[in-house]
Amino acid sequence: MSSLRLFLENSITFFNLLILSYFFLGNGIYTILMLLSLRATWIHTRRLAYQGLDALRGSPLTPPVTILIPAWNEQDVIVNSVRSALQTDYPGLRVIVVDDGSTDLTMDRLVESFHLLEMDGAYRPSIPTAPIRAFYINPEFPNLLVISKVRGGKPDALNAGINLCRSPYFCNLDADCLLERDALLRLMDPIVNSAAETVVSGGIVRILNGCETRNGRVTKVGLPPRALERFQVVEYLRSFLFGRTGWHLLGGTLIVSGAFAVFHRATVMEAGGFCHDTVTEDMDLIVQLHHWAADNNRKIRISFTSDPVCWTECPSHLTMLARQRRRWQLGLCQTLWKHSEILFGRKYGIVGWLSFPFHSYVEGLGAVAEFLGYLLVPLGILLGLVPPSFLVVFVLLGLIYGSFLSVGAVLLEELTYRRYPRFRDLLTLLVFAVFENAGYRQLILYYRFQGVLKFLAGSRRWEKVAHAGANA
Amino acid sequence: MVNQTDPVTHWALMMLVCVLIGTCLLVAVAIFRRRQQIRYSGYLRSLESNYRPILATLLSGRYTAHGINTLRELPLADLELLFDPLFSAGGVGQKPVAVLQALCAELGLIRLWQHRLTTGEEPKTRRGSPRGTSLHPPASSLLHLLLRAKSIRNLGILRHQPSWPLLVRALDDPHPDIQSVALRSLATIRAPGSFPALVGRVHAVVLGKSASPSPRALKAALACFDLTCSAALLSSLRHPHRRIRILATDILRVMVCRDAALESDFLLRPEVCSPGIAEILLTNLCRDPSAEVRGRAAEIIAFLADPRATSVLYKLLFDPQWYVRLRAVRALANLRHSTPYLLLGIRDCLRDSHWRVREAAMQTLIALGRRGRQQLYEYFLTSQDQATREQIVEVIERSGLMASLVEGYGEGAGGVEALMVEQFASEAAPLGLSGVLRMSNPHVRQQFLERFLPVAHFKMQLQEETSLEASAGTGLQQVLEFPSVLAA
């Protein structure tokens, strides 16, 4: 009996130490990222006054870009998204929509809205994909090509788009997203004006729920009505404004949103294109690019800028939110496991020594540690291993530190882009930032924990998130 | 509740208090900033409502001493705020630049911007003080950088020629932002004197003597200059470094294409392009060891009036590198090149081993008008190469040529055009043809059917009699099914 108790005590003590290290490492690095981003984003917004987008727009040397829109059962949103992509202000723009074997009216809506004609096309795949069923064009929209293919998943649809793409760069855009008019110009700016070889350029994804739209454009920015959506607004601000910016400044970007990013086509093809073996093909490709660059002794730059904006619809119901977060966590675990040799690999630099370990420990294992922490720490109190006062203080510290980071993200938004113009919006965001960690965070943690369990069970199932139609 | 003797708890409590204070502080800063912003916006609005009408009058060209004097009374910082929207993206059109420049000079703004560039400091006078209003923060080094960058931008937008030496000096600024803005402003001003300095900067960047601006940004800036400046590129075109030659050829290519497009015959006038440039293109660059140089050179040579250009281009159509062949065949997409000699060369490119060269050759033949299309159709009807035939169909459908072929067929056109339509219907492009028929007006459709149906019936009969293979029959069947629906 005493040996069992000793074992339990040791386990719980070990686990408590693990939680403490997770807490300090995670929050410590997030604080560093926040401080780095505060300065960099503030400077960046000031620089926009002399950014020179007109020169980029007018130059015949600006590289052409193809927007790839993979779509599977997106009948409610696809027309607006394609319209938004076609209206994008960029010289030499082409749009390729890849219908990945939709079983709803996605194709019909496209054919009807854009008066498409089926044509006899040839398909020369450099990256193997599922077969193409049909090509559709309309000579009145010479820069639009729609293809219908046999279902092969989002990575397969993107690979088909890459095979058909002729421009040196392509931009992948989710079918439920709306681009701001100058988003692509802003996204290409770091590629054109950087002396380093920039192969990926990512932008910010903002939440569309609560905004007014017309003809594929956001006409009025506002906060969504539901608390669940508002929490996600704060979460996205934190993730993009200081998470992604901070990692970009440190040179350790591992995630660029697959909803909206520009890639150098030849480099992506050399790296093998989008892979099918994870459910987060965007993160997988970025990690794959780091891998490929290190193996081939190539210096590449992955850029993130916070001014090119793409609006997306966030889940407004718990079921959809659960599906989305489980998939993200599952994809994260799959990608980290698949590329585990990067961990502390000498040739991977900051990615191998900081970014990858951080994502593995804090983002990957952290979901398990934090979830079990909520169960095991009270057990430690029951067994008398942890003083109750410590638990109270520590839980409060965890909650308030989370609020501190979320409020920091709202402040960053306030100091820079100020997209939510009403004073009431700011106050609402601050309130939701403060209370995000009391309830919402735990809910997300539960879904992330489920994602880890799915990974351990070897699941590869893509959970489809249905849209409520904010973009419809 | 808290055990005072437990140091860890005590330490965690201290931390908790600190974080709590930090959070409250962040909330306070966010609210304070929003309040400050509201006040600042109010101030801007009042400034605009008071002075924008005066500014608009002056910008419309109606010079009034009262208006100028009223604006002169404003502190320079407020004047800058008032003028700033005019310099922001799309704020200033082509027309009022001269008026705006005169106004800025009159009000001392140009002097202020030049002063910032020359000394790197803010003027000390009351009017020049950056603290025009109590709402302006003090000019920190970061803010000063932003002010300098905006000054450079403004001088560029105003196309202030006398400022170009200052802007060239700004290229040596340690901050890459200042370099980039200066580069863009120089490209807008296009002062010929600054061109050699920028070419020198290209050499420095490529040879690793300077890290910024980026070669792509330099290239874009240099390409904005007039072609008369191109003599300064000669040394770069002859440079032993491959990358410098590529960049120089690319810059020249953009300049030449832009200038030639303004001419009625798309030919480059000899007086704008120095003889040395033409010579080096026709003798050296078309034989350059780098395929990228040869490819770009081909595009420039296509615009030269020199009689040697045709034979040089013909040779480049059969270059060992597909990339050069692609560029050469694309460069010939101009009616001036529809000579039998070059047409045959382009037609030979339809047999090229690389599909992109074949596709470019098809597009070029279509662009070359009737004679070019004739070559394409003849090749399609006689070739046994199924892949190329499919590619021709694709290009014809994408270019919208299918609709005009169908229309011509309905109106009784004969020859290769009629044969092409019948081929499309029977096996090559049933989808594209039915799509075009569906979208065309009923009259065109009726005319088409009246001519086509007898041919189709005859072919069907022939197939039945000779028991041709099923695939050809299926294609024809598809087409025939469609018109019956239409006829109904």
Side-chain angles (χ1 to χ4, degrees):
Chain A
M1 194 65 190
S2 64
S3 63
L4 178 68
R5 185 181 165 84
L6 191 67
F7 171 75
L8 260 176
E9 279 177 12
N10 285 339
S11 305
I12 291 173
T13 309
F14 170 77
F15 201 80
N16 286 343
L17 286 174
L18 199 73
I19 300 229
L20 272 177
S21 67
Y22 161 75
F23 175 83
F24 285 109
L25 187 71
N27 287 326
I29 289 191
Y30 278 134
T31 310
I32 293 169
L33 294 180
M34 186 176 82
L35 293 175
L36 282 173
S37 312
L38 261 171
R39 187 183 150 81
T41 314
W42 188 82
I43 294 172
H44 182 71
T45 47
R46 265 63 194 166
R47 288 172 63 202
L48 297 179
Y50 55 85
Q51 196 179 22
L53 288 185
D54 286 340
L56 194 61
R57 186 187 292 113
S59 172
L61 291 161
T62 300
V65 176
T66 303
I67 297 181
L68 302 182
I69 308 179
W72 180 60
N73 291 349
E74 302 281 6
Q75 60 178 16
D76 294 329
V77 292
I78 189 69
V79 174
N80 262 349
S81 297
V82 175
R83 208 169 270 152
S84 152
L86 285 171
Q87 288 169 6
T88 305
D89 179 17
Y90 193 83
L93 175 76
R94 205 164 167 236
V95 178
I96 299 180
V97 184
V98 185
D99 172 51
D100 191 33
S102 295
T103 49
D104 64 354
L105 296 175
T106 302
M107 263 324 293
D108 298 319
R109 296 255 162 102
L110 282 171
V111 169
E112 189 187 334
S113 303
F114 297 99
H115 305 293
L116 298 173
L117 298 177
E118 192 173 349
M119 65 168 279
D120 309 87
Y123 181 58
R124 304 167 194 86
S126 305
I127 307 169
T129 66
I132 302 292
R133 284 201 290 235
F135 293 80
Y136 295 86
I137 55 156
N138 178 353
E140 281 178 34
F141 296 102
N143 55 347
L144 173 66
L145 172 70
V146 176
I147 62 166
S148 168
K149 65 183 275 292
V150 173
R151 174 131 180 85
K154 189 179 171 189
D156 196 66
L158 283 167
N159 286 338
I162 295 172
N163 286 332
L164 287 162
C165 172
R166 304 282 174 84
S167 54
Y169 292 91
F170 69 87
C171 168
N172 56 344
L173 182 70
D174 277 0
D176 59 332
C177 290
L178 299 181
L179 276 187
E180 289 205 338
R181 251 184 89 74
D182 56 1
L184 203 51
L185 275 173
R186 292 183 186 280
L187 209 52
M188 285 301 285
D189 185 64
I191 292 178
V192 174
N193 289 315
S194 161
E197 190 188 354
T198 308
V199 295
V200 183
S201 174
I204 186 167
V205 177
R206 286 176 181 268
I207 286 185
L208 185 64
N209 309 39
C211 301
E212 286 176 22
T213 62
R214 212 171 75 185
N215 284 333
R217 292 271 158 244
V218 173
T219 50
K220 192 177 171 194
V221 178
L223 281 178
R226 293 178 194 181
L228 188 68
E229 296 165 315
R230 287 179 176 182
F231 280 128
Q232 289 176 76
V233 172
V234 174
E235 199 185 9
Y236 270 55
L237 287 179
R238 198 180 55 229
S239 165
F240 281 94
L241 281 183
F242 78 69
R244 307 270 163 98
T245 308
W247 282 118
H248 162 68
L249 293 170
L250 291 173
T253 300
L254 274 196
I255 305 174
V256 166
S257 172
F260 172 51
V262 163
F263 294 87
H264 186 242
R265 186 174 64 97
T267 309
V268 170
M269 288 179 91
E270 275 188 66
F274 288 93
C275 293
H276 299 243
D277 47 5
T278 66
V279 293
T280 45
E281 76 298 327
D282 43 3
M283 182 186 180
D284 184 50
L285 179 64
I286 300 297
V287 182
Q288 174 70 28
L289 284 171
H290 282 301
H291 214 137
W292 170 85
D295 288 349
N296 293 283
N297 216 8
R298 287 271 296 271
K299 256 194 161 0
I300 58 166
R301 178 171 174 261
I302 292 171
S303 159
F304 174 82
T305 20
S306 47
D307 57 309
V309 177
C310 155
W311 297 90
T312 192
E313 195 184 327
C314 72
S316 46
H317 296 287
L318 283 177
T319 326
M320 293 303 146
L321 181 68
R323 285 186 186 185
Q324 185 190 53
R325 298 312 162 96
R326 274 197 297 263
R327 182 172 70 78
W328 286 0
Q329 190 67 28
L330 170 65
L332 177 92
C333 294
Q334 286 172 332
T335 308
L336 294 172
W337 182 254
K338 179 180 164 187
H339 299 279
S340 52
E341 64 268 45
I342 291 182
L343 192 71
F344 302 120
R346 278 184 64 160
K347 58 184 175 180
Y348 301 102
I350 198 105
V351 171
W353 284 89
L354 183 65
S355 182
F356 201 90
F358 173 83
H359 281 85
S360 306
Y361 187 51
V362 177
E363 303 285 357
L365 281 176
V368 181
E370 198 178 332
F371 185 81
L372 293 182
Y374 283 108
L375 306 175
L376 290 181
V377 174
L379 190 66
I381 295 171
L382 286 177
L383 293 173
L385 296 171
V386 182
S389 57
F390 177 77
L391 174 77
V392 172
V393 173
F394 190 74
V395 167
L396 275 176
L397 181 60
L399 296 181
I400 292 171
Y401 211 110
S403 301
F404 170 76
L405 294 173
S406 300
V407 170
V410 176
L411 174 65
L412 191 52
E413 164 75 359
E414 183 54 30
L415 291 177
T416 53
Y417 299 106
R418 216 175 286 115
R419 283 300 182 116
Y420 298 95
R422 294 183 307 174
F423 190 65
R424 208 175 63 191
D425 289 343
L426 172 69
L427 293 180
T428 312
L429 280 178
L430 286 171
V431 169
F432 275 82
V434 168
F435 291 106
E436 189 206 355
N437 289 277
Y440 178 75
R441 181 192 170 117
Q442 289 71 23
L443 183 73
I444 296 298
L445 181 68
Y446 173 63
Y447 298 145
R448 285 173 61 202
F449 183 68
Q450 284 184 326
V452 176
L453 293 182
K454 283 185 79 176
F455 167 69
L456 295 174
S459 168
R460 283 191 181 182
R461 199 165 73 88
W462 179 290
E463 290 188 89
K464 170 85 177 166
V465 179
H467 305 294
N471 165 17
Chain B
M1 187 176 72
V2 178
N3 183 1
Q4 293 297 318
T5 55
D6 180 5
V8 181
T9 310
H10 183 71
W11 184 78
L13 188 65
M14 290 297 289
M15 205 175 157
L16 171 70
V17 172
C18 290
V19 175
L20 194 62
I21 292 169
T23 311
C24 294
L25 249 169
L26 293 185
V27 170
V29 171
I31 292 171
F32 172 74
R33 282 291 298 182
R34 177 58 71 103
R35 288 226 168 270
Q36 200 183 32
Q37 186 60 33
I38 291 169
R39 275 175 61 210
Y40 184 68
S41 306
Y43 180 75
L44 273 185
R45 266 199 304 276
S46 73
L47 198 66
E48 286 199 357
S49 63
N50 290 338
Y51 298 98
R52 188 46 69 82
I54 300 170
L55 187 59
T57 311
L58 290 169
L59 282 175
S60 67
R62 277 174 286 163
Y63 183 91
T64 61
H66 170 70
I68 292 279
N69 287 336
T70 312
L71 290 181
R72 268 206 190 121
E73 282 168 15
L74 276 174
L76 279 174
D78 283 354
L79 264 185
E80 278 195 287
L81 280 179
L82 190 65
F83 275 72
D84 197 54
L86 296 170
F87 293 100
S88 302
V92 62
Q94 190 67 25
K95 214 174 171 186
V97 166
V99 182
L100 187 60
Q101 195 190 100
L103 193 59
C104 289
E106 182 82 36
L107 295 170
L109 285 171
I110 290 187
R111 216 171 34 250
L112 168 73
W113 297 330
Q114 287 180 329
H115 181 84
R116 274 192 195 133
L117 286 185
T118 323
T119 63
E121 291 168 4
E122 289 300 308
K124 299 284 185 244
T125 60
R126 190 196 69 82
R127 279 204 72 219
S129 161
R131 292 178 63 88
T133 73
S134 59
L135 292 161
H136 291 173
S140 65
S141 63
L142 181 62
L143 203 62
H144 188 62
L145 168 83
L146 300 169
L147 286 174
R148 273 199 307 149
K150 276 195 176 184
S151 304
I152 296 170
R153 177 201 66 178
N154 297 351
L155 289 170
I157 290 174
L158 291 179
R159 299 187 183 97
H160 194 251
Q161 289 278 341
S163 295
W164 76 258
L166 286 176
L167 299 178
V168 169
R169 264 176 51 195
L171 288 176
D172 293 321
D173 193 280
H175 202 285
D177 274 14
I178 297 290
Q179 292 177 18
S180 305
V181 193
L183 187 61
R184 278 198 297 272
S185 290
L186 283 167
T188 316
I189 295 173
R190 294 197 285 264
S194 60
F195 192 82
L198 291 181
V199 173
R201 183 57 60 135
V202 172
H203 289 222
V205 168
V206 174
L207 298 173
K209 292 175 189 163
S210 171
S212 57
S214 76
R216 220 194 278 244
L218 275 165
K219 192 167 73 170
L222 280 162
C224 292
F225 281 74
D226 202 76
L227 189 57
T228 46
C229 301
S230 62
L233 281 174
L234 268 170
S235 63
S236 310
L237 293 169
R238 291 198 189 101
H239 202 278
H241 199 290
R242 185 184 70 98
R243 192 127 183 259
I244 291 178
R245 289 201 308 280
I246 293 174
L247 285 170
T249 323
D250 220 14
I251 293 161
L252 190 62
R253 177 183 66 86
V254 177
M255 289 166 130
V256 165
C257 291
R258 189 186 54 224
D259 270 45
L262 300 175
E263 302 297 326
S264 55
D265 52 359
F266 295 101
L267 265 181
L268 211 55
R269 286 171 294 126
E271 65 268 24
V272 292
C273 186
S274 75
I277 295 269
E279 200 54 38
I280 198 171
L281 280 164
L282 290 164
T283 53
N284 289 21
L285 297 179
C286 66
R287 284 195 279 270
D288 196 277
S290 160
E292 285 174 271
V293 174
R294 292 202 301 279
R296 284 165 173 82
E299 287 186 52
I300 310 170
I301 291 168
F303 292 106
L304 294 182
D306 197 291
R308 290 170 291 173
T310 306
S311 61
V312 170
L313 281 171
Y314 190 85
K315 275 183 201 154
L316 289 172
L317 285 177
F318 303 100
D319 193 277
Q321 286 287 327
W322 74 269
Y323 175 77
V324 181
R325 300 197 296 275
L326 177 76
R327 291 262 183 166
V329 80
R330 275 188 189 159
L332 290 170
N334 183 318
L335 277 178
R336 206 160 42 76
H337 299 300
S338 60
T339 59
Y341 176 60
L342 282 176
L343 276 176
L344 283 176
I346 301 167
R347 187 182 153 141
D348 282 344
C349 288
L350 294 173
R351 277 194 284 268
D352 198 282
S353 56
H354 201 287
W355 68 272
R356 288 194 67 179
V357 179
R358 293 199 300 273
E359 187 185 80
M362 290 162 201
Q363 285 161 343
T364 298
L365 285 173
I366 290 172
L368 288 179
R370 205 173 159 274
R371 276 192 283 180
R373 290 201 297 271
Q374 200 78 10
Q375 293 286 341
L376 184 68
Y377 298 156
E378 279 172 21
Y379 185 87
F380 178 82
L381 293 167
T382 55
S383 172
Q384 299 297 312
D385 177 2
Q386 196 55 32
T388 307
R389 278 164 60 90
E390 278 175 12
Q391 217 180 337
I392 291 174
V393 168
E394 189 184 340
V395 170
I396 284 176
E397 287 182 25
R398 278 197 191 191
S399 64
L401 205 57
M402 182 73 91
S404 59
L405 278 171
V406 166
E407 205 173 326
Y409 184 81
E411 286 167 2
V416 285
E417 275 99 349
L419 287 172
M420 284 293 284
V421 174
E422 282 162 19
Q423 280 275 316
F424 287 158
S426 61
E427 54 175 321
L431 289 173
L433 187 63
S434 63
V436 165
L437 279 173
R438 203 180 298 130
M439 297 299 282
S440 60
N441 71 51
H443 176 66
V444 171
R445 212 154 49 205
Q446 192 60 39
Q447 277 187 325
F448 176 85
L449 294 177
E450 277 168 16
R451 181 170 175 194
F452 178 69
L453 284 178
V455 180
H457 283 306
F458 172 71
K459 279 196 174 179
M460 288 282 284
Q461 261 180 349
L462 204 67
Q463 276 174 16
E464 280 168 16
E465 284 165 18
T466 53
S467 306
L468 282 177
E469 61 204 62
S471 61
T474 312
L476 188 59
Q477 193 65 42
Q478 280 171 345
V479 181
L480 287 173
E481 269 172 18
F482 180 65
S484 64
V485 176
L486 275 180

